[in-house]
Amino acid sequence: MPEERIKIALTKGRVEQQVVPLLEAAGIDCQQLRNKQRRLIFDSDTQPYQFILAKGPDVTTFLERGAADIGIVGSDILTEHQSSQYELMDLGVGVCQFVLASTADFDPQAPRRKIIGTKYPRITQRYFDQLGRDVEIIKIEGSVELAPLTGLADAIVDITETGTTLRENHLKIYDYLQPVSTRLVVNRLALKQHQRLIYQFVDQLAEVVSKSSKELAK
Amino acid sequence: MLQHLLPLGTRDEFGRRARRKQQLISVIQAHFKRRGLAPIATPLLENEAVFDPYQMGNYQLYRLLGTDGQTLVLRPDLTLPIARFISATKVPLPRKFSYVGDIFRVSRQLSGSYNQITQAGVELIGYGSLKAELECLTIANQLSAELIEDAVEIELGDARFAQRVVASLTDNASTQQAILRALFDKRVPKYQALIAPYRDQPLYDFLKGWPRLFGRPTDVLAQLTAAPLPATVQPSIDRLKRVVAWMKTTMPKQAVSLDLSSQAPQKYYTGLTFRGYSQAGAGYLFSGGRYDQLLANFQAEAEPAVGMGINVDLLTTLAADQPEAQPRELIYCEPDQWQQAEAYLAQQPNASISLAPDLAAARMEAQRAGARLVDLTGGGVNA
């Protein structure tokens, strides 16, 4: 078993499903991740990698505290949690968009202080600050679409990939905010401590990402 | 139940950790004294304006209102209060100062970070020659060798290198800032997009590899030599070469690296910067550098200066993992045997006098503490 190891915190769920094929194409041993059962931490038998499966916000906490060397997580979470680590690569997967959405009768220009439901209060605050508008923000943990439908909020700020969930809930997009995608982030000090191993991992993955983005562009 | 609870981001220090921390502080202070540094202690509370030049990063300040309505803060840094002290008292310079104290930085709630950090440090004020940097590096080298077993790597940089390179590309201040921000945060896709307009310039190959311009001095210096860098950065490169050569001769076992792709630890640095880390630590053990303009924030005249802060809490964490050298001993004696107990204590640094009322209670105390009981009342030494 390799002596020096780098710890990679991978966001479980959709990010994990999209990133594992990229890792495998880059020659990274994901055998243990494929047969994970209920385990959350895996050591490769043949390569100097340890994978940790965690929720997105926890990936940023592991990174900030140095409990993980590399994090693979959405840019929505990095921005919302004000990550201060090195963002070395856009993996080109998990691509979606922040939007302002509401019911058809919502008037964005109506002269009153609006109530906005969101899972992302910092991003929402920054957006309305840039517009010079004062809003009240309600933090919602899941099914944000419910907020305007139930009268809890006038509108929502959320991420959408295809807009299908919004349409199915009769919600309309009023504005587009920043795009979102999955990023590879590295703890600042870990890059110094494990420079060779981390760049080896990054370069292998970059080759695959560059190839797949070229194929998509054809 | 609030009377039992600590505010978020604070902790009590007790037992082995507290002892180890006190030992480290004693060693550091003795080292400072040996080198002729004058101790200085500044208040925990300062006017907020003292910290105008301070870059808080992801932290916030603890703010309080003073009696006449001015904003006071719990100090987030120890260098600026010393600059304030020198400006206010006109202490004759040059002078070497040392300090040990706590600083306060409010980090993200529930992140596991502590907001009160113990820092030791030196400030060599009024010294314009490179010898001031060399003294700091010597202290860093000697203290890290003395205090922790894990090898410490000293990383050298230059606070103005990146600004000067970017200034040679464009006069546009916001473009310069955007490139520097992307470089320092290693937001590589964004950085690549920002340097794309310069692809026809001779410096473009250097710019492409710049985010990776850190590592072994020979590798980094080779890249610098090969690049058509502006003449404005040559003094920085020459200084780095001199320091690397000096370290190789003066402290041959010290691991050294260069980093010319990162931001200086603080925005008030103006010249050579240095930081130290070990493989086991989750942060920098020390950081410092030259800050020739800092006093200009408090008075008309600037003073050349070099300073360095040492993270005592991180040192304690790394040092606390080492096993204790000896088992603890508990000395049981009657009041008239106190001098005998003191004599024993003087020879056994890991011993302590039991204050139990009788031998049976002392035995229980020793058992609870996992210590060996030394009974001076007649039974000799009992295990």
Side-chain angles (χ1 to χ4, degrees):
Chain A
M1 192 181 283
E3 215 170 78
E4 185 190 354
R5 264 179 197 279
I6 50 173
K7 290 173 274 181
I8 303 153
L10 175 61
T11 306
K12 60 185 179 184
R14 197 189 298 185
V15 169
E16 172 195 347
Q17 287 160 14
Q18 291 170 332
V19 170
V20 167
L22 288 179
L23 294 171
E24 286 176 329
I28 312 289
D29 172 23
C30 295
Q31 194 64 35
Q32 305 259 15
L33 276 171
R34 289 284 187 197
N35 306 312
K36 62 183 180 191
Q37 294 159 342
R38 285 173 181 273
R39 287 177 304 152
L40 297 168
I41 189 159
F42 316 90
D43 282 308
S44 166
D45 294 328
T46 55
Q47 293 174 343
Y49 307 126
Q50 179 182 68
F51 283 95
I52 299 160
L53 283 179
K55 282 194 165 191
D58 298 336
V59 169
T60 65
T61 305
F62 282 120
L63 270 181
E64 293 291 332
R65 298 286 299 148
D69 303 312
I70 294 179
I72 297 177
V73 61
S75 60
D76 53 330
I77 289 163
L78 291 171
T79 310
E80 185 62 27
H81 289 262
Q82 299 176 300
S83 165
S84 60
Q85 306 304 324
Y86 291 143
E87 201 178 301
L88 291 193
M89 210 193 319
D90 183 342
L91 298 180
V93 294
V95 178
C96 46
Q97 180 93 35
F98 270 104
V99 295
L100 173 70
S102 187
T103 48
D105 59 351
F106 173 66
D107 176 6
Q109 306 304 327
R112 64 186 177 80
R113 191 167 186 259
K114 294 175 194 68
I115 300 169
I116 309 295
T118 186
K119 273 191 240 179
Y120 304 93
R122 281 205 182 95
I123 290 168
T124 303
Q125 189 69 60
R126 202 171 63 184
Y127 166 68
F128 283 102
D129 284 351
Q130 282 164 356
L131 293 177
R133 290 190 201 147
D134 180 28
V135 294
E136 170 142 2
I137 295 169
I138 299 180
K139 172 97 193 274
I140 293 168
E141 296 296 341
S143 301
V144 182
E145 297 83 2
L146 284 171
L149 298 174
T150 58
L152 178 69
D154 297 312
I156 58 171
V157 167
D158 202 9
I159 49 174
T160 181
E161 193 174 343
T162 59
T164 308
T165 311
L166 292 173
R167 275 194 302 276
E168 284 178 358
N169 285 289
H170 311 292
L171 296 176
K172 190 181 148 188
I173 294 171
Y174 286 88
D175 200 2
Y176 291 91
L177 289 69
Q178 74 242 44
V180 172
S181 59
T182 302
R183 307 291 165 92
L184 183 141
V185 193
V186 176
N187 174 277
R188 284 175 181 256
L189 187 56
L191 190 60
K192 306 286 174 62
Q193 291 166 322
H194 309 289
Q195 184 180 355
R196 186 187 59 80
L197 279 183
I198 289 177
Y199 274 136
Q200 184 181 305
F201 181 88
V202 167
D203 290 343
Q204 280 174 250
L205 200 51
E207 206 171 306
V208 172
V209 170
S210 155
K211 208 184 307 172
S212 66
S213 64
K214 276 178 195 156
E215 277 166 16
L216 278 174
K218 276 180 195 170
Chain B
M1 290 301 285
L2 264 177
Q3 68 265 37
H4 295 298
L5 303 180
L6 278 174
L8 277 177
T10 62
R11 62 175 154 182
D12 298 309
E13 287 182 325
F14 168 72
R16 183 173 169 169
R17 183 182 171 90
R19 190 182 316 120
R20 186 66 188 148
K21 187 168 168 176
Q22 281 170 8
Q23 283 170 353
L24 288 174
I25 290 171
S26 303
V27 171
I28 292 169
Q29 283 174 325
H31 191 91
F32 289 165
K33 191 178 171 193
R34 219 165 36 239
R35 299 191 72 90
L37 278 66
I40 180 169
T42 58
L44 292 180
L45 275 176
E46 294 271 2
N47 282 309
E48 187 175 18
V50 170
F51 300 100
D52 282 349
Y54 190 70
Q55 184 175 287
M56 283 303 289
N58 266 359
Y59 303 107
Q60 303 286 319
L61 293 167
Y62 279 107
R63 289 188 173 84
L64 301 89
L65 267 188
T67 47
D68 54 357
Q70 82 278 32
T71 306
L72 305 177
V73 295
L74 289 179
R75 62 187 182 197
D77 167 79
L78 278 154
T79 299
L80 285 157
I82 293 171
R84 189 258 313 136
F85 162 81
I86 288 162
S87 173
T89 57
K90 308 294 179 210
V91 171
L93 297 175
R95 194 143 188 181
K96 300 175 179 179
F97 295 96
S98 70
Y99 61 82
V100 177
D102 285 359
I103 55 171
F104 298 85
R105 298 166 178 174
V106 186
S107 49
R108 187 158 61 91
Q109 278 206 342
L110 304 173
S111 64
S113 302
Y114 293 107
N115 297 342
Q116 181 176 347
I117 304 148
T118 305
Q119 206 178 71
V122 299
E123 307 292 349
L124 311 177
I125 299 179
Y127 298 95
S129 91
L130 192 62
K131 287 179 183 173
E133 282 92 332
L134 303 186
E135 170 132 40
C136 276
L137 290 168
T138 304
I139 294 171
N141 166 262
Q142 291 179 351
L143 277 178
S144 49
E146 194 172 348
L147 297 176
I148 59 170
E149 283 179 0
D150 201 15
V152 170
E153 179 146 341
I154 295 182
E155 176 190 282
L156 304 173
D158 187 278
R160 296 280 170 88
F161 176 86
Q163 281 86 345
R164 287 181 177 143
V165 172
V166 172
S168 76
L169 292 175
T170 172
D171 293 332
N172 185 312
S174 65
T175 306
Q176 288 180 10
Q177 280 311 308
I179 294 173
L180 288 173
R181 193 70 271 142
L183 173 74
F184 293 153
D185 291 344
K186 300 206 195 299
R187 289 177 189 269
V188 176
K190 189 174 180 182
Y191 171 78
Q192 284 167 340
L194 285 163
I195 61 165
Y198 308 101
R199 67 167 62 86
D200 296 331
Q201 293 206 11
L203 202 55
Y204 187 65
D205 279 344
F206 169 82
L207 294 177
K208 279 196 297 182
W210 196 2
R212 295 193 184 193
L213 193 62
F214 63 93
R216 289 193 313 174
T218 43
D219 298 342
V220 174
L221 290 171
Q223 287 181 67
L224 293 174
T225 306
L229 291 163
T232 49
V233 300
Q234 202 52 50
S236 300
I237 297 172
D238 292 343
R239 188 167 49 223
L240 285 168
K241 282 182 182 169
R242 276 184 69 192
V243 175
V244 168
W246 176 86
M247 290 177 78
K248 205 172 166 186
T249 312
T250 316
M251 41 187 87
K253 287 183 181 169
Q254 176 63 59
V256 185
S257 58
L258 296 183
D259 182 357
L260 290 170
S261 65
S262 294
Q263 191 169 22
Q266 271 301 325
K267 66 179 177 187
Y268 51 68
Y269 286 117
T270 55
L272 187 92
T273 60
F274 41 86
R275 295 195 263 215
Y277 63 89
S278 76
Q279 284 296 315
Y284 284 101
L285 285 162
F286 56 84
S287 72
R290 176 165 287 281
Y291 53 90
D292 286 346
Q293 296 301 316
L294 191 59
L295 257 71
N297 288 290
F298 300 96
Q299 60 186 35
E301 317 87 59
E303 281 288 348
V306 175
M308 172 177 73
I310 301 167
N311 186 336
V312 176
D313 290 311
L314 183 55
L315 266 180
T316 307
T317 302
L318 293 173
D321 290 338
Q322 297 167 6
E324 297 251 4
Q326 291 175 355
R328 283 194 61 222
E329 288 181 319
L330 210 55
I331 309 158
Y332 179 71
C333 65
E334 294 297 343
D336 58 1
Q337 294 174 305
W338 202 272
Q339 279 183 321
Q340 196 186 339
E342 287 291 336
Y344 190 90
L345 195 61
Q347 290 172 1
Q348 300 293 332
N350 270 323
S352 179
I353 295 177
S354 168
L355 306 180
D358 53 48
L359 186 57
R363 283 197 176 117
M364 281 175 66
E365 186 188 0
Q367 198 177 7
R368 264 201 309 272
R372 200 167 72 98
L373 185 70
V374 179
D375 177 11
L376 302 182
T377 61
V381 175
N382 295 335

